[in-house]
Amino acid sequence: MEQEHIKILLIEDNAGDARLIREFLVEERYVNIEWVERLSAGLDHLDREKIDALLLDLSLPDSQGLETFARIRHQNPEVPVLILTGLDDKDLALEAVRKGAQDYLVKGQVDSNLLIRAIKYAIERKKLDEKLQRTMKELEAKNQELEDYTYTVSHDLKAPLVTIQGFSELLGTQYADQLDAKAKHYLDRINQGSENLARLVSDLLELSRAGRKNREFEKHDFNEILSISIHGLEGKINEKLVEFEYQHDFPEVYCDDIRLSQVMSNLIGNAINYMGEQEKPKIILGWNQQGNMYEFWVKDNGIGIHEEDIGRIFNIFERAAESSAEGTGIGLSIVKKIIQIHGGNIQVESEFGKGSTFIFTIPIKGEAKNEQK
Ligand code: ADP
């Protein structure tokens, strides 16, 4: 197979270094190298001609340090860049790599083989990088499409469902004396079925909204968020006589408080739903600080989760075999999305028969991923 031609631009103000680099590549007939001494000349060249890789010295007469790389990157994000650096400038070169340069080469430690290999790797890596970016964008678009679709479908299902519920209620109240036991039983089944469907539709709607950040994050007292969630679950808590243990006062967090309270309601609600036959149901709520993240947990002594189910319960509609009849299998997907838009993550540790601990993180400074509005 014929070797493809590679066009390289070298931006280097030291003539000696430039000569050496060109000599290293002289044997490689399929490599064309152009040399300029200034950043401005390099940028002009890049405007005129498409090149496959750029060899860049960061200290040039018209630009110094990371600024040199930043200007190249800004105008030519698609070009793979290899930084040429001296021994004492390695940290700077590494910083440029962190900001998107493909690699760096230390002058004086380069030979012909190393140089050509680094150039080829840089070109291939950049191609893979771009492919990955494209795939990520496609995936994001598909996800968005799916969310929009879920929203539309669940939204459209709501109206006929409300009609069914309304008429079935009318039937049950206005015609109660004309219905025999069998008819009443059938009506009960219709009501039960439509209640389940209503829960499913509202969970699906919630899920399609959960990935969007629709309110600015602000500082909120987590103690208050928690007390709202617990207040909403009071009926269940009293019915099952659940004991709560708070490890200590909670901090203030940057968040959408309504969403975070939804997370806590879901996790505590699940902890209660999946208590099983536990005689002394107990839920422990706690937190600590891990680097730049807060870590919160909800620990229960309920039925626990089999190891093989742990990996899938955060996926939509996935439920463990021991799930209650009521659930929709959507709650934890909503929770995960909400945590992710806050820039955190969620996981579970569990032992079947002993209980589960759901642990999630929230950045202390409150920077969020996925800033969709
Ligand atoms: P749902 O509760 O509606 O089924 P979720 O998405 O909230 O849906 O939970 C998914 C599944 O994860 C549940 O069906 C259950 O099997 C399991 N699960 C969630 N929380 C707990 C818990 N605290 N203890 C045991 N199992 C749990």
Side-chain angles (χ1 to χ4, degrees), residues 202-361:
S202 109
D203 279 0
L204 278 174
L205 264 177
E206 224 18 84
L207 179 68
S208 67
R209 291 188 192 119
R212 292 176 202 200
K213 185 185 169 199
N214 48 12
R215 289 165 77 224
E216 277 311 310
F217 294 163
E218 279 171 22
K219 227 177 190 185
H220 293 282
D221 184 349
F222 197 85
N223 296 293
E224 278 170 27
I225 291 175
L226 200 55
S227 73
I228 292 171
S229 309
I230 289 183
H231 186 71
L233 292 165
E234 242 164 29
K236 270 187 184 181
I237 294 171
N238 295 338
E239 185 193 322
K240 296 228 172 162
L241 300 173
V242 183
E243 181 197 341
F244 275 86
E245 181 183 321
Y246 303 89
Q247 293 195 320
H248 40 95
D249 237 23
F250 287 89
E252 289 193 316
V253 274
Y254 271 103
C255 64
D256 176 337
D257 55 337
I258 297 180
R259 288 273 166 86
L260 210 54
S261 148
Q262 206 177 343
V263 165
M264 293 313 288
S265 303
N266 255 303
L267 294 181
I268 298 171
N270 274 349
I272 301 171
N273 287 346
Y274 300 108
M275 271 300 171
E277 299 306 312
Q278 174 59 256
E279 280 176 12
K280 292 187 172 161
K282 182 166 178 182
I283 296 176
I284 302 175
L285 301 166
W287 70 282
N288 67 22
Q289 192 173 328
Q290 288 281 350
N292 55 355
M293 306 291 259
Y294 285 130
E295 191 176 73
F296 297 92
W297 58 87
V298 178
K299 180 177 166 70
D300 66 59
N301 57 351
I303 61 173
I305 304 164
H306 282 292
E307 210 180 325
E308 62 268 26
D309 290 328
I310 284 184
R312 56 183 193 89
I313 55 168
F314 290 99
N315 298 339
I316 182 166
F317 299 134
E318 296 273 16
R319 315 181 69 207
E322 299 73 24
S323 294
S324 67
E326 283 176 15
T328 59
I330 301 176
L332 286 179
S333 327
I334 297 176
V335 164
K336 188 172 177 180
K337 276 200 168 182
I338 296 177
I339 297 297
Q340 283 175 341
I341 59 156
H342 280 83
N345 247 315
I346 180 157
Q347 56 171 22
V348 59
E349 289 167 5
S350 186
E351 197 177 330
F352 188 67
K354 293 209 164 153
S356 316
T357 309
F358 285 80
I359 307 156
F360 65 87
T361 53

Side-chain angles (χ1 to χ4, degrees), residues 192-208:
Q192 235 172 54
S194 40
E195 240 174 67
N196 289 345
L197 189 55
R199 205 164 28 233
L200 186 65
V201 166
S202 109
D203 279 0
L204 278 174
L205 264 177
E206 224 18 84
L207 179 68
S208 67

